[in-house]
Amino acid sequence: MIETMGEKPPRRIITLLTDFGSRDPYVSSMKGVILSIAPETLVVDITHDVEPFNVLQAAFILYQASRWFPAGTIHVVVVDPGVGSERRALAIKTGRCTLIGPDNGVLMPVADHFGVVEVREIRKKFFECTSYTFHGRDIFAPAAASLAAGMEFRDLGPLVSDPKKLDFGRVKWIHGGLEARILHVDRFGNLITNISSDLYEKIASKRKIRIVVKGVAHVLKPARSYFEGKEKELLLLPGSGGFIEISLNKESAARFLGIRPGDTFVLKFGSSF
Amino acid sequence: MIETMGEKPPRRIITLLTDFGSRDPYVSSMKGVILSIAPETLVVDITHDVEPFNVLQAAFILYQASRWFPAGTIHVVVVDPGVGSERRALAIKTGRCTLIGPDNGVLMPVADHFGVVEVREIRKKFFECTSYTFHGRDIFAPAAASLAAGMEFRDLGPLVSDPKKLDFGRVKWIHGGLEARILHVDRFGNLITNISSDLYEKIASKRKIRIVVKGVAHVLKPARSYFEGKEKELLLLPGSGGFIEISLNKESAARFLGIRPGDTFVLKFGSSF
Amino acid sequence: MIETMGEKPPRRIITLLTDFGSRDPYVSSMKGVILSIAPETLVVDITHDVEPFNVLQAAFILYQASRWFPAGTIHVVVVDPGVGSERRALAIKTGRCTLIGPDNGVLMPVADHFGVVEVREIRKKFFECTSYTFHGRDIFAPAAASLAAGMEFRDLGPLVSDPKKLDFGRVKWIHGGLEARILHVDRFGNLITNISSDLYEKIASKRKIRIVVKGVAHVLKPARSYFEGKEKELLLLPGSGGFIEISLNKESAARFLGIRPGDTFVLKFGSSF
């Protein structure tokens, strides 16, 4: 992927994103494997606190974080409810980065964003020892490290033409409003929706914006930053990650509204309710 | 900041201290930005588990950790209740390290400890894209990385003469005792006070030392290490971080006393109570 | 330890495994000390979320993670209920890696696995400033960093012939079954036992396998991967870390059975119950 003549190639970056948590030996075992194969690699944690088996949350976090890393970064995701089953292990070369993970859709929003160049199935017997329960250590980490150490992408395994799809869903315009989805709730309780920030001006210009959750409507105040809200006042913000957010000043909007990642909601405009 | 002739300068260290937690893409986005601007930087996490918006706790943790890093380290703090408001973004050059963070006092105990050389306001439009809600990624990380990559400190922005102050408060000697403050409760429930360990001998030599919390007095036994206490016996220790600590053998002194960071308490000596 | 002529030695890796948690300044202070003494070292976290003072858990996690790191890695463990007491600080050179930590047995399963070459007591006054309460920062980190920077192992301190022992216990074959122990419960609630995976085939071939916990017997189904179980069906797996595991499909087997690390249990075979 990186061609150099006579001079040292730049240090490769491998990021890790899992639902392994921080107590178990799983993440450090993966790091040990990577450093054994490619000693000069820089390993960066994205997070290991994805809700167990929550593929959508992992896809969202990868989508948000990956764009800020240098071109050529290798992102490894292990959120893998089907480990040991027949689901394939994938490597996806995109226009900007390389993605490694299970074929459950978790890599696809980033792959689609940067543009898929090539998808390959990583050979089952890729690494010396392969368990049935820890492909992070035995397949995904060695594959990423082998790429970092100079292996050709095509040598990972055969081409794949039908990776499993996943996207963040589409905003549905309805009479007097729209229907959308919560992608993520952050530590501060901010709700990140799947509504593009490009729509912020259009929505913020509406008269009387309300969010309807479980049949109850709450007024939203358009704002630019979190501190603009008064106590118990819900804000509608353009968000820093390209999606519209809903927040409550120094409190959790998620708890206040009783809403969770994956839930849908309705925005209503004007007096049509 | 570092001058070299013909040879490679030492690898710069940037530390990160935030209240972002470990699940969201915020910390890794900052790391991606830093590595994009200054690829050879070593990024070290101090913590991301500061209680949301707790500026005093962040200031304390930075104060404790920063002294152990090599000279020239750049410390970035993002505990920032006022993000997007008119609060300034600061860079402070001290006698030992460089500090980057919001102008809410969080940097000041360390700055005062090492001695302030120069304070600058980081230009609002420092980085290509600047959100209203994520200055960690859009201002603080790029400023730190730019310094690591060789930018001159004076090019960050204009001089500042009045950074917001913050200190750990002073111990008040009162009749037969003193009044002080809890700065931090650690994972083990040890209480770290704002009383300098230099006063340990003076206090430990008193006859009958008691801590008074919410009107209830508890005897403290002077000790050197945590293991010296019997069950339910509160210890008074010189502490490893320069402050006197109060601990309970293998239990949480904080829970036992019902006391929290920021709370004040009284130490009483002798029988005058 | 590493001899080179004229060329740069490989970057040394120091891993850290503690019960310090992620909020306090303790871990980052250790990293600052290491980077001050040996600036080129790569520091890798194994975990800092060991249950406070749980020496067995720390020993298990080190045992699992350490085998995946390159030869020459220095592993530092600070799970140390006896800090400040007369317990010794040890450095153990093994056939593969170097271990640094308190003399409470936490290093021994790994040391025994790789083979002990030499054990030394680290001098009490090893580093410039030594507190009574934070040997991680004042003794263990400086010792590891000094080795990484080229200090000879023998210069750490005097030889030790009687390090405190610790092992994971032996499986006891009883009439119609065996008695064993839970070493660890992972984030997913999988139970890792002290039964070697080498015994998997022998056990899995038995007719009707049951686990008996608190007098109640539950059927176990032999399986290769977690996904094979139906709802509420307990699986018996060979495990990825060399030990037999007991798991419940997408739920916590630990919560289901009410069992914790350190607990013993009985496996019964056939109808002999």
Side-chain angles (χ1 to χ4, degrees):
Chain A
M1 249 181 135
I2 289 168
E3 289 169 52
T4 52
M5 286 290 288
E7 66 178 59
K8 209 183 154 198
R11 180 173 62 159
R12 292 301 292 270
I13 300 171
I14 295 178
T15 78
L16 302 180
L17 196 170
T18 78
D19 60 357
F20 291 162
S22 55
R23 177 177 290 181
D24 296 320
Y26 304 140
V27 172
S28 55
S29 297
M30 290 179 66
K31 292 181 182 174
V33 166
I34 291 169
L35 294 167
S36 297
I37 296 172
E40 296 302 319
T41 307
L42 176 65
V43 182
V44 179
D45 298 306
I46 291 187
T47 183
H48 302 292
D49 293 334
V50 170
E51 197 178 282
F53 313 126
N54 193 330
V55 171
L56 180 69
Q57 185 183 45
F60 172 79
I61 293 171
L62 182 69
Y63 183 83
Q64 289 291 305
S66 58
R67 73 183 68 183
W68 301 100
F69 281 83
T73 296
I74 301 167
H75 299 287
V76 178
V77 181
V78 195
V79 176
D80 191 13
V83 62
S85 72
E86 287 307 302
R87 72 97 189 88
R88 297 171 295 193
L90 295 188
I92 306 181
K93 190 195 257 189
T94 80
R96 184 174 169 86
C97 56
T98 301
L99 306 167
I100 306 268
D103 182 21
N104 59 20
V106 72
L107 309 173
M108 294 315 293
V110 175
D112 290 336
H113 179 75
F114 289 125
V116 173
V117 175
E118 202 174 298
V119 184
R120 292 195 175 263
E121 179 179 357
I122 303 167
R123 296 188 311 275
K124 282 255 154 53
K125 288 288 168 199
F126 188 81
F127 197 46
E128 46 195 277
C129 105
T130 300
S131 68
Y132 288 85
T133 54
F134 193 3
H135 288 181
R137 182 193 71 199
D138 301 336
I139 296 179
F140 300 123
S146 298
L147 288 178
M151 178 189 259
E152 293 294 331
F153 189 81
R154 66 170 175 271
D155 292 337
L156 289 173
L159 281 170
V160 167
S161 59
D162 58 346
K164 194 170 171 196
K165 293 292 177 189
L166 181 82
D167 62 41
F168 296 142
R170 292 197 179 282
V171 171
K172 200 170 134 195
W173 291 88
I174 56 176
H175 177 70
L178 58 80
E179 201 178 288
R181 193 178 185 189
I182 302 297
L183 291 180
H184 185 64
V185 175
D186 76 9
R187 189 191 192 197
F188 304 96
N190 300 314
L191 302 168
I192 294 114
T193 74
N194 68 337
I195 311 170
S196 167
S197 293
D198 295 344
L199 293 173
Y200 178 76
E201 292 301 340
K202 186 174 172 182
I203 293 172
S205 69
K206 301 284 186 186
R207 202 168 55 82
K208 211 177 169 192
I209 309 158
R210 285 157 300 162
I211 181 170
V212 185
V213 178
K214 294 168 191 166
V216 183
H218 305 264
V219 173
L220 298 181
K221 176 184 158 188
R224 286 281 163 188
S225 60
Y226 300 128
F227 82 101
E228 291 174 38
K230 298 196 199 77
E231 215 183 317
K232 305 287 178 199
E233 191 172 39
L234 285 165
L235 300 180
L236 181 85
L237 297 143
S240 64
F243 295 107
I244 286 179
E245 297 182 18
I246 293 159
S247 93
L248 191 61
N249 190 23
K250 288 182 196 173
E251 276 187 79
S252 167
R255 205 175 303 128
F256 183 78
L257 290 172
I259 198 166
R260 284 169 45 81
D263 288 354
T264 55
F265 63 91
V266 167
L267 286 192
K268 280 281 183 185
F269 311 130
S271 48
S272 64
F273 198 67
Chain B
M1 249 181 136
I2 289 167
E3 289 170 51
T4 53
M5 286 291 288
E7 67 176 59
K8 210 183 154 198
R11 180 172 63 159
R12 292 301 292 270
I13 300 171
I14 294 178
T15 77
L16 302 180
L17 195 169
T18 78
D19 59 358
F20 291 163
S22 56
R23 177 177 291 182
D24 296 319
Y26 304 140
V27 172
S28 54
S29 297
M30 289 178 66
K31 291 181 183 175
V33 166
I34 290 169
L35 294 167
S36 297
I37 296 172
E40 296 302 320
T41 307
L42 176 65
V43 182
V44 179
D45 298 306
I46 290 187
T47 183
H48 303 292
D49 293 334
V50 169
E51 198 179 282
F53 313 126
N54 193 330
V55 171
L56 180 69
Q57 186 184 45
F60 173 79
I61 293 171
L62 181 69
Y63 183 83
Q64 290 291 306
S66 59
R67 74 183 68 182
W68 301 98
F69 280 83
T73 296
I74 301 168
H75 300 287
V76 178
V77 182
V78 196
V79 177
D80 191 14
V83 61
S85 71
E86 288 307 303
R87 72 99 188 87
R88 297 171 294 192
L90 295 188
I92 305 181
K93 190 195 256 189
T94 79
R96 183 174 170 87
C97 56
T98 300
L99 307 167
I100 307 269
D103 183 21
N104 60 20
V106 72
L107 309 174
M108 294 315 293
V110 175
D112 290 337
H113 179 75
F114 288 125
V116 174
V117 175
E118 202 173 300
V119 184
R120 292 197 174 263
E121 179 178 357
I122 303 166
R123 296 188 309 276
K124 281 255 153 53
K125 289 288 168 197
F126 188 81
F127 197 46
E128 45 196 277
C129 105
T130 301
S131 68
Y132 288 85
T133 54
F134 193 2
H135 288 180
R137 182 192 70 199
D138 301 336
I139 296 179
F140 300 124
S146 299
L147 288 178
M151 179 188 259
E152 293 293 332
F153 189 81
R154 64 171 176 270
D155 293 337
L156 289 174
L159 280 171
V160 166
S161 59
D162 58 346
K164 195 170 169 195
K165 293 292 177 189
L166 181 81
D167 62 42
F168 296 142
R170 293 196 179 282
V171 171
K172 200 171 133 195
W173 291 88
I174 55 178
H175 178 70
L178 58 80
E179 201 178 290
R181 192 178 185 189
I182 301 298
L183 290 180
H184 185 63
V185 175
D186 76 9
R187 191 192 190 195
F188 304 96
N190 300 314
L191 302 169
I192 294 112
T193 73
N194 68 337
I195 310 171
S196 167
S197 292
D198 295 344
L199 293 172
Y200 178 77
E201 292 301 341
K202 185 173 172 184
I203 293 172
S205 69
K206 301 284 185 186
R207 203 168 54 82
K208 211 177 168 192
I209 310 160
R210 285 157 300 160
I211 181 170
V212 186
V213 178
K214 294 167 189 166
V216 182
H218 305 263
V219 173
L220 299 180
K221 176 184 159 187
R224 286 281 162 186
S225 60
Y226 299 128
F227 83 101
E228 291 175 37
K230 298 197 198 76
E231 214 183 315
K232 305 287 178 199
E233 191 174 39
L234 286 165
L235 301 180
L236 181 86
L237 298 142
S240 64
F243 295 106
I244 286 179
E245 297 182 17
I246 293 159
S247 92
L248 191 60
N249 190 24
K250 288 183 196 172
E251 276 188 78
S252 167
R255 204 175 303 126
F256 183 77
L257 290 172
I259 198 166
R260 284 169 44 81
D263 287 356
T264 54
F265 63 91
V266 167
L267 287 192
K268 280 281 183 186
F269 311 129
S271 49
S272 64
F273 198 69
Chain C
M1 244 180 141
I2 289 168
E3 287 170 54
T4 53
M5 286 290 288
E7 68 177 58
K8 210 183 154 198
R11 181 173 61 159
R12 292 300 293 269
I13 299 171
I14 294 177
T15 77
L16 302 180
L17 196 169
T18 77
D19 59 357
F20 291 162
S22 55
R23 178 177 290 181
D24 296 318
Y26 304 141
V27 171
S28 54
S29 297
M30 289 178 66
K31 291 182 181 174
V33 165
I34 290 169
L35 294 166
S36 297
I37 296 172
E40 296 302 319
T41 306
L42 176 65
V43 182
V44 179
D45 298 305
I46 291 188
T47 182
H48 303 292
D49 293 334
V50 170
E51 199 178 281
F53 313 126
N54 193 330
V55 171
L56 180 69
Q57 186 183 45
F60 172 78
I61 294 171
L62 181 69
Y63 183 83
Q64 289 292 306
S66 59
R67 72 182 69 181
W68 301 99
F69 281 83
T73 296
I74 301 167
H75 300 287
V76 178
V77 181
V78 195
V79 176
D80 192 12
V83 62
S85 70
E86 287 306 303
R87 72 98 188 88
R88 297 171 294 192
L90 295 188
I92 305 181
K93 190 195 257 189
T94 79
R96 183 174 170 86
C97 57
T98 300
L99 307 167
I100 307 269
D103 182 21
N104 59 20
V106 73
L107 308 174
M108 294 314 293
V110 175
D112 290 336
H113 179 74
F114 288 125
V116 174
V117 175
E118 202 174 299
V119 184
R120 293 198 174 262
E121 179 178 358
I122 303 167
R123 296 188 310 274
K124 280 256 154 53
K125 288 290 168 197
F126 188 81
F127 197 46
E128 46 196 279
C129 105
T130 301
S131 68
Y132 288 86
T133 54
F134 193 2
H135 288 179
R137 183 193 69 199
D138 302 335
I139 296 179
F140 300 124
S146 298
L147 288 178
M151 179 189 259
E152 294 293 332
F153 189 80
R154 66 170 175 271
D155 293 337
L156 289 174
L159 281 171
V160 167
S161 59
D162 58 346
K164 194 171 171 194
K165 293 292 177 190
L166 181 82
D167 62 41
F168 295 142
R170 293 198 178 281
V171 171
K172 200 170 133 194
W173 290 89
I174 55 177
H175 177 70
L178 59 79
E179 202 178 288
R181 192 179 185 189
I182 302 298
L183 290 181
H184 185 64
V185 175
D186 75 9
R187 190 191 190 196
F188 304 96
N190 300 314
L191 302 169
I192 294 112
T193 73
N194 67 337
I195 310 171
S196 167
S197 293
D198 295 345
L199 293 172
Y200 178 76
E201 292 302 341
K202 184 172 173 184
I203 293 172
S205 68
K206 301 285 184 185
R207 201 168 55 81
K208 211 176 170 194
I209 310 158
R210 285 157 301 162
I211 181 169
V212 185
V213 177
K214 294 168 191 165
V216 183
H218 306 263
V219 173
L220 298 181
K221 176 184 160 188
R224 285 281 163 188
S225 61
Y226 301 127
F227 82 101
E228 291 174 37
K230 298 196 197 77
E231 214 183 317
K232 305 288 178 200
E233 191 173 38
L234 285 166
L235 301 180
L236 181 86
L237 298 143
S240 64
F243 295 107
I244 286 180
E245 297 182 18
I246 293 160
S247 93
L248 191 61
N249 190 24
K250 288 183 196 173
E251 277 187 78
S252 169
R255 205 175 304 125
F256 183 77
L257 291 173
I259 198 167
R260 285 169 45 80
D263 287 356
T264 55
F265 63 91
V266 167
L267 286 192
K268 281 280 183 185
F269 311 130
S271 48
S272 64
F273 197 70

